[in-house]
Amino acid sequence: MKTLAAVLVFVLAACSAACSTGSRVDLGDESAGNLVAAIAGEPDQLDPHRTSAYFSFEVLENVFDTLVEPDENLQMRPALARSWDVSDDKLVWTFHLRDGVRWHDGTPLTADDVVYSYRRIIDEQLTNVDKFSAVSGVTALDPTTVRITVRRPTPNLLTNLGGFKGMAIVQRANVESGQIATHPVGTGPFSFAGRRSGDSITLKANPHYWGGPPPISGVTFRFISEPTTALSALQAGEVDWTDSVPPQRVAQLRDDDSLTLAVTPGNDYWYLALNEARAPWNDPRVRQAIAYGIDRDAISTATSYRTAATNQLAIPQGSPWFTDYHRYRYSVEEARKLLAEAGAAPHDLDMLVTSEYPETVTAAQIIADNLAPLGITVNIRTVDFATWLDEQNTGHFDMLMMGWLGNIDPDDFYYAQHHTNGTSNAQKFSDPEVDRLLDAGRTETDAAKRKDLYAKAATRIADEASYIYLYNPSVIQAWANNLSGYQVRRDGAVRFRTADLDRGETR
C-alpha cells in the first residue's frame, strides 16, 4: 500500500502490517472545538514505516511530513525540503531542508533525521524498502543538506520519496523508545493528543508548523464502520466530515443543500488476485478463465452504484499514463473454453475478503454467482482486516479482493505488485518480460518511451492475469457546510492543514 498511499497506500493493504491498538487514553477536553472526522475503521498502528492500512494513513497524513509531497495536481513540490538539485548524470540528488522545522516535542529537525528515516526502511527491510531499490547512498552533508545517490537514473525518485506518508521522516528517539506505533511524534500540522481504543484518535494543532498553524484547534477521528451511521452522524451535526459515504446515497445527496458532497475521479483501483503458488491458479489460462467469467459491470454497479469506472487495467482514464485495454468481455463460454484447454476443472475457490472493506464482501457474492455456471463453488471467507493481512502474507487463499489507493507514478501501480521480486506480490506472479519492462521503466527518462514501456507491461500483466482488475472508484467525501478550506484529492490523501470551521453557522 496507498502507501497507500495506502496506499495504499494506501498503498492500501497489500503488504505486511503489525498490529498495535494502544491503550485507552483519557482525552479530557483535548477534543473540544475540534473538527470531527468519521473514518470507516481504526488504524492498526501509527508507525508510518510499518503500517499499510489506509485508516492509519488518514491520520498520519496530518501528523508526519515527507521530504517532498504531491500538490493537488499530483506534481511533486517542496515539503521538508525547500529545494533540490540534480547532477548532470542524474545520479546525485541534493536536498536542502527548510530552516527552523521542529518536531512536535520541540527538538529541531536535521538532515540526520532524514538519513535515519531512510536507513531504517532500508536496513530493516520495511514495507516501502522497494522505493529505495536504486539508492546507493543517503548522507547528511551538513545539518540542512541531504545527498541521495542512485545507481541509475531514477525518474520517479521524487514520487518515491514523497508520494505518500509511508515515506515519512520519523524521529529516532520516538522510534527507539518504542512509542511511535502508539504515540507518534512528527513535524506535521497536527500532533498526536490521545486515543480511545475502538472509538477515536485526537490530534491537536501544531502552532509551530512550518507551513503555518492550522486554522482549527485539532482533529478528532472517530471510527464509524457503518457508512449509513457515519452519514447520519454528519447530518445530525455530530461529525463535520466523512469519507464513509454509502454509494447508494450519492444520487440523493447531490440535491441535499444541508451538506457538501464531493465525487472526484480517483487514482485508486480494486482488483482480484489468484494465488499462483497453488494449482490450478498457476496456469494463466485458468486465471484468464476467471477473468472472462466475472461480470465487472455488475460488480462495479453493486459496490459503487455507478460512481466508479470499470477498467481492465490499474491506471484510470484521465491519467497521462492511461492505456486502453478491453480484452475480457463477460463470457461464460470463453471461460469454459480456457478451462478445457488447461485441462482444469476447479470445484472450489476460497475467496478472502474483509468486513472492514464492505466492497469486497458485496463483490464476492456476485463473483460466487458468476462462477457457479463454471462448476466452481466460491467459499467466501470474511475476516477482520488484520487477519486478512496475515492470510494474504502467508498465502492462505485461492483468491482475494482488495484495492490500492493513492498511486501517482506508473511504477506505483505495477512494480511492487507484479515484479518477481516485488514487495507486494502476494499472488506470486513471475514473468521475465514483465520484469524487464518494469525495470526499464524505472530508469527511462524520456517520457514518451517510458509511457510505452508501462503500456506494454500493463498489457502483459493483464493478459497473464496477475491481477484481475475490476474498477477505479471515485473519491467520495461529504462535509458540513460550515467547513471551508478543505480540498478533495485524486490520491485520496486527507489533509486538514488548511481546513477551517465556522461554529457560528447554522447547519
Side-chain angles (χ1 to χ4, degrees):
M1 340 214 104
K2 279 338 118 192
T3 269
L4 173 290
V7 357
L8 76 340
V9 266
F10 114 84
V11 190
L12 176 114
C15 17
S16 62
C19 293
S20 175
T21 58
S23 57
R24 175 177 287 269
V25 178
D26 185 1
L27 302 180
D29 295 327
E30 288 281 4
S31 62
N34 281 5
L35 184 155
V36 181
I39 60 177
E42 182 169 7
D44 64 331
Q45 61 162 306
L46 298 176
D47 181 344
H49 292 173
R50 292 188 180 277
T51 186
S52 63
Y54 179 59
F55 306 134
S56 296
F57 286 116
E58 289 188 278
V59 176
L60 298 177
E61 180 71 36
N62 299 279
V63 175
F64 286 97
D65 290 312
T66 43
L67 209 56
V68 295
E69 66 180 12
D71 65 12
E72 64 274 11
N73 297 314
L74 304 187
Q75 299 299 308
M76 303 311 296
R77 299 288 185 246
L80 291 178
R82 57 179 170 80
S83 64
W84 54 89
D85 310 305
V86 187
S87 63
D88 291 341
D89 63 4
K90 312 298 184 186
L91 299 181
V92 179
W93 296 65
T94 305
F95 294 87
H96 308 282
L97 302 185
R98 295 180 184 274
D99 295 327
V101 178
R102 292 186 174 273
W103 295 99
H104 293 149
D105 62 7
T107 57
L109 171 82
T110 70
D112 287 337
D113 294 308
V114 178
V115 174
Y116 171 77
S117 298
Y118 293 164
R119 290 307 322 177
R120 180 189 186 219
I121 295 172
I122 296 168
D123 295 343
E124 298 184 28
Q125 294 287 293
L126 300 182
T127 300
N128 300 300
V129 66
D130 182 66
K131 302 291 186 184
F132 294 101
S133 63
V135 172
S136 59
V138 183
T139 56
L141 301 185
D142 60 50
T144 62
T145 310
V146 177
R147 174 168 291 171
I148 297 178
T149 55
V150 291
R151 299 181 185 89
R152 56 186 182 271
T154 309
N156 62 330
L157 182 66
L158 292 180
T159 304
N160 283 347
L161 296 179
F164 81 117
K165 290 302 182 288
M167 296 293 287
I169 306 305
V170 300
Q171 185 192 60
R172 180 194 291 264
N174 191 220
V175 174
E176 293 181 345
S177 68
Q179 295 186 350
I180 189 170
T182 56
H183 196 121
V185 174
T187 58
F190 297 92
S191 61
F192 180 83
R195 180 174 190 158
R196 296 182 188 273
S197 183
D199 178 75
S200 61
I201 286 176
T202 293
L203 310 179
K204 63 181 179 180
N206 174 11
H208 307 294
Y209 181 53
W210 56 264
I216 54 177
S217 61
V219 183
T220 297
F221 291 90
R222 288 185 55 194
F223 317 139
I224 303 178
S225 60
E226 177 52 55
T228 55
T229 303
L231 180 59
S232 296
L234 175 64
Q235 294 173 319
E238 297 169 0
V239 304
D240 303 299
W241 175 97
T242 186
D243 64 349
S244 185
V245 178
Q248 64 268 33
R249 297 285 301 279
V250 166
Q252 172 194 1
L253 293 173
R254 291 186 192 277
D255 299 322
D256 188 341
D257 294 334
S258 69
L259 53 79
T260 300
L261 175 73
V263 181
T264 302
N267 269 24
D268 311 335
Y269 66 85
W270 288 84
Y271 67 92
L272 301 172
L274 288 157
N275 188 350
E276 299 179 34
R278 295 181 175 181
W281 319 118
N282 57 337
D283 188 323
R285 293 170 297 183
V286 177
R287 301 195 298 272
Q288 291 163 357
I290 302 300
Y292 278 108
I294 62 170
D295 186 341
R296 285 174 178 78
D297 289 334
I299 294 169
S300 176
T301 298
T303 57
S304 73
Y305 289 80
R306 303 190 186 282
T307 62
T310 57
N311 193 1
Q312 296 188 26
L313 295 182
I315 298 178
Q317 193 165 12
S319 166
W321 304 100
F322 173 73
T323 299
D324 191 22
Y325 180 96
H326 42 77
R327 170 178 178 173
Y328 296 108
R329 68 189 185 282
Y330 175 43
S331 172
V332 174
E333 291 182 1
E334 188 67 26
R336 285 176 174 153
K337 176 182 175 183
L338 285 162
L339 289 175
E341 287 180 4
H347 297 295
D348 296 287
L349 186 152
D350 169 60
M351 184 168 183
L352 181 65
V353 298
T354 173
S355 54
E356 293 179 48
Y357 291 96
E359 300 94 330
T360 65
V361 179
T362 301
Q365 295 164 346
I366 296 172
I367 291 166
D369 291 339
N370 288 164
L371 298 185
L374 299 177
I376 300 174
T377 299
V378 176
N379 302 307
I380 302 171
R381 189 156 50 97
T382 306
V383 298
D384 61 69
F385 185 53
T387 302
W388 187 99
L389 286 169
D390 288 341
E391 297 289 83
Q392 176 209 234
N393 294 331
T394 57
H396 187 205
F397 65 93
D398 286 331
M399 182 163 69
L400 54 78
M401 176 179 171
M402 192 44 70
W404 273 86
L405 308 181
N407 306 287
I408 299 175
D409 188 85
D411 183 80
D412 300 336
F413 287 87
Y414 295 120
Y415 194 98
Q417 302 91 326
H418 306 288
H419 193 282
T420 298
N421 299 319
T423 55
S424 298
N425 186 353
Q427 74 279 17
K428 305 303 181 186
F429 177 73
S430 181
D431 182 272
E433 178 63 7
V434 169
D435 289 350
R436 184 190 70 79
L437 292 165
L438 294 179
D439 286 334
R442 287 191 152 187
T443 61
E444 180 55 66
T445 57
D446 181 280
K449 292 179 180 178
R450 192 165 186 251
K451 180 175 181 177
D452 182 62
L453 288 168
Y454 281 108
K456 290 176 179 176
T459 298
R460 187 164 178 84
I461 287 167
D463 283 347
E464 296 294 304
S466 173
Y467 276 3
I468 299 173
Y469 295 101
L470 300 174
Y471 59 88
N472 298 112
S474 292
V475 179
I476 305 174
Q477 300 174 0
W479 57 87
N481 288 331
N482 63 335
L483 172 61
S484 61
Y486 175 78
Q487 186 174 48
V488 179
R489 299 171 53 86
R490 285 181 62 94
D491 61 356
V494 176
R495 295 181 182 172
F496 289 122
R497 65 182 73 169
T498 59
D500 198 3
L501 281 171
D502 181 359
R503 291 298 189 189
E505 182 176 327
T506 301
R507 288 176 179 265

